[in-house]
Amino acid sequence: TSPPTFTKPVITCLKTLLIVYSFVFWITGAILLAVGVWGKLMLGPYISLIADNSTNAPYVLIGTGTVIIVFGLFGCFATCRGSPWMLKLYAMFLSLVFLAELVAGISGFVFRHEIKGNFRRTYTDAVLNYNAKDEASRAVDYLQNSLRCCGVYNYTNWFGSVFYPSNGIPASCCFNSSDCNPDDLRNATVAPSKVYHQGCFELVTSFMETNMAIIAGVTFGIAFSQLIGMLLACCLSRIIIANQYEMV
């Protein structure tokens, strides 16, 4: 038997809304993928100096974004097909994504509040054990060059490093590389006139806190949007089952 006349417009409306939602969901996946790539490329050196267990965060975003893109396309297909089991599978996936992103968002905010203590410790260690060769040393140089800062709190932090006695302050501290030679950097009297006086600690923590807040905020927004998709998918599935409605 054919469904009641009022059911067809309801199903058509729900299908339209779910297709639009699935498309938006696909877009959010692309955004997460882009944020993950941006985080890896732009925040990599900063993250590597803050905590070893946080370096996987960009890869998590990239993986999540890729999976969302795939399931966004699946959601469009399931909606057009009008298959109840596909719609239920889609709703179940959305619920899993919701939980995963909620946990990720909370972790982001927790990490944001712990960032100063972690960075102070790891960056101080990187400065004291600087050798201009390993990954941590390259990250320190990158930060000092890009943020135009020197040392943890100021350039005097370099006086206690293993690098200073024989090499002086690193050249990445110089505000004018053409007027900065190794002899000047080893001279505690001359060096202050050649290097940045602003320490990197406050600059980096402020930069990271701002960007972590943005990432966590976007994650929360996307997570709660899954509830809309779950509701639409479940409603459409139940109406189709109740009326034995199938798309040809």
Side-chain angles (χ1 to χ4, degrees):
T1 58
S2 61
T5 54
F6 74 88
T7 305
K8 284 186 177 181
V10 170
I11 291 177
T12 301
C13 180
L14 285 174
K15 284 171 62 66
T16 301
L17 289 174
L18 192 53
I19 288 175
V20 170
Y21 171 81
S22 296
F23 177 72
V24 173
F25 185 52
W26 185 89
I27 294 296
T28 61
I31 292 173
L32 279 181
L33 180 61
V35 169
V37 172
W38 172 79
K40 178 58 182 174
L41 295 178
M42 300 302 295
L43 303 183
Y46 300 90
I47 293 174
S48 69
L49 281 174
I50 288 170
D52 291 338
N53 58 8
S54 69
T55 54
N56 289 327
Y59 295 111
V60 171
L61 288 174
I62 291 172
T64 302
T66 302
V67 171
I68 286 177
I69 288 173
V70 172
F71 270 86
L73 295 174
F74 175 79
C76 289
F77 175 76
T79 304
C80 293
R81 181 73 178 84
S83 170
W85 74 266
M86 284 185 177
L87 291 169
K88 287 181 179 179
L89 180 62
Y90 185 44
M92 183 170 62
F93 169 74
L94 290 176
S95 67
L96 293 175
V97 171
F98 170 74
L99 293 174
E101 290 179 342
L102 198 60
V103 170
I106 293 172
S107 299
F109 276 112
V110 170
F111 179 69
R112 176 171 165 253
H113 291 300
E114 293 178 347
I115 194 170
K116 286 191 176 182
N118 290 335
F119 179 68
R120 182 186 289 109
R121 182 181 65 257
T122 56
Y123 192 62
T124 298
D125 288 344
V127 167
L128 293 178
N129 297 299
Y130 178 91
N131 60 16
K133 298 177 182 178
D134 61 18
E135 183 180 357
S137 297
R138 290 194 297 270
V140 169
D141 285 333
Y142 176 83
L143 293 184
Q144 293 188 150
N145 273 318
S146 59
L147 298 183
R148 298 181 179 182
C149 57
C150 187
V152 182
Y153 300 106
N154 55 55
Y155 67 89
T156 60
N157 297 125
W158 284 105
F159 294 162
S161 70
V162 296
F163 186 79
Y164 183 79
S166 56
N167 300 282
I169 297 174
S172 56
C173 278
C174 298
F175 52 77
N176 184 357
S177 57
S178 62
D179 185 30
C180 207
N181 61 66
D183 291 333
D184 291 340
L185 295 176
R186 283 193 294 269
N187 189 319
T189 304
V190 178
S193 65
K194 304 289 184 177
V195 300
Y196 299 112
H197 286 206
Q198 173 71 56
C200 297
F201 176 70
E202 288 297 332
L203 290 177
V204 173
T205 51
S206 174
F207 178 83
M208 285 298 299
E209 283 181 350
T210 300
N211 286 284
M212 286 301 295
I214 292 172
I215 293 173
V218 169
T219 302
F220 270 122
I222 293 174
F224 281 101
S225 73
Q226 316 310 328
L227 298 176
I228 299 173
M230 289 163 57
L231 179 63
L232 289 173
C234 288
C235 287
L236 181 58
S237 176
R238 290 187 65 179
I239 291 176
I240 290 175
I241 291 174
N243 293 277
Q244 291 87 42
Y245 185 87
E246 294 184 2
M247 294 299 296
V248 177

